[in-house]
Amino acid sequence: MTFKMERETVKNIALIGFMGTGKSAVSRFLKERCGYQEIDVDQRIVQMEGMPIAEIFRIQGEEYFRDLESRVIAGIRGENLVIPCGGGAVLRKENVENLKKISRIVLLLATPKTVLGRIRHSSDRPLLKGKMDAGHIAELMEKRRALYEEAADLAVVTDGKTVGEVSREIVERAGL
Ligand code: S3P
């Protein structure tokens, strides 16, 4: 995937991709090493609600969470931002449209096996609760594949790479 010319001037970077593809870790790296300001969409939601993501899903349900997610994304303004998004941010077209207005969208990719290895001990992934296995991850990933690919300006494979390697690849390929 290559950037369209007019999008090369947009310096904000939104990170999308399935759970466990390294969005938060890469974001932290870009923030610390490149001086980006971080707007973590899930973190904002947790702050707004005063409870972890899993609790929001359990008490209020997924739609409520998705509404907050859309509201946070729609409200993002600024420059030199790195914006790690929750894995489901691409499910709503309006989120992708809003992200595109303010950022270039970088898709992080990983195989179901890699994802499972990274998040198998996580208890804050409500969509994988009781179904933390490679088969279920592969199924959900496949359902979303086209949405991720359509949204992305640039895709980076993360399997077998360190956070630093992935981040440097983004810096280089996006010309940051
Ligand atoms: C979700 C991914 C999570 C979080 C929520 C829903 C998803 O974020 O937003 O649990 O639908 O894929 P991460 O991708 O950071 O785990």
Side-chain angles (χ1 to χ4, degrees):
M1 266 176 260
T2 51
F3 291 128
K4 293 181 200 85
M5 276 312 273
E6 72 269 19
R7 295 184 57 70
E8 282 176 6
T9 53
V10 182
K11 287 293 183 196
N12 296 339
I13 293 292
L15 298 172
I16 63 164
F18 200 79
M19 294 169 263
T21 50
K23 302 179 296 284
S24 301
V26 167
S27 177
R28 214 173 306 127
F29 188 102
L30 291 176
K31 177 184 157 193
E32 283 163 16
R33 306 282 178 92
C34 306
Y36 271 69
Q37 194 194 322
E38 184 182 59
I39 297 187
D40 183 315
V41 176
D42 277 354
Q43 211 65 53
R44 286 261 165 121
I45 295 169
V46 168
Q47 282 164 6
M48 280 160 72
E49 293 297 289
M51 64 177 95
I53 302 278
E55 283 292 283
I56 302 172
F57 267 69
R58 190 177 64 79
I59 297 168
Q60 307 282 9
E62 181 169 352
E63 275 311 292
Y64 180 88
F65 172 82
R66 297 295 174 204
D67 288 343
L68 291 177
E69 185 173 51
S70 295
R71 201 173 348 133
V72 168
I73 290 172
I76 298 173
R77 302 282 181 276
E79 282 171 26
N80 289 314
L81 306 177
V82 58
I83 308 161
C85 300
V90 296
L91 294 173
R92 289 190 181 175
K93 209 171 155 213
E94 65 176 282
N95 295 343
V96 175
E97 285 168 1
N98 283 328
L99 287 170
K100 277 203 179 290
K101 283 182 202 157
I102 54 154
S103 64
R104 283 182 292 174
I105 301 182
V106 176
L107 169 62
L108 300 186
L109 296 166
T111 63
K113 192 171 164 228
T114 299
V115 166
L116 182 63
R118 288 177 184 159
I119 67 172
R120 66 187 183 281
H121 298 303
S122 160
S123 57
D124 202 28
R125 300 289 194 331
L127 293 181
L128 299 176
K129 195 168 174 235
K131 290 178 278 187
M132 190 62 92
D133 61 81
H136 180 64
I137 290 170
E139 206 177 291
L140 195 52
M141 202 184 265
E142 200 47 47
K143 274 192 197 151
R144 294 178 173 182
R145 181 180 304 280
L147 294 174
Y148 287 132
E149 288 177 358
E150 276 162 27
D153 290 299
L154 175 73
V156 178
V157 172
T158 68
D159 302 276
K161 294 179 190 165
T162 64
V163 172
E165 284 167 345
V166 172
S167 306
R168 279 188 288 275
E169 190 174 330
I170 293 171
V171 169
E172 201 175 298
R173 289 175 63 195
L176 302 181

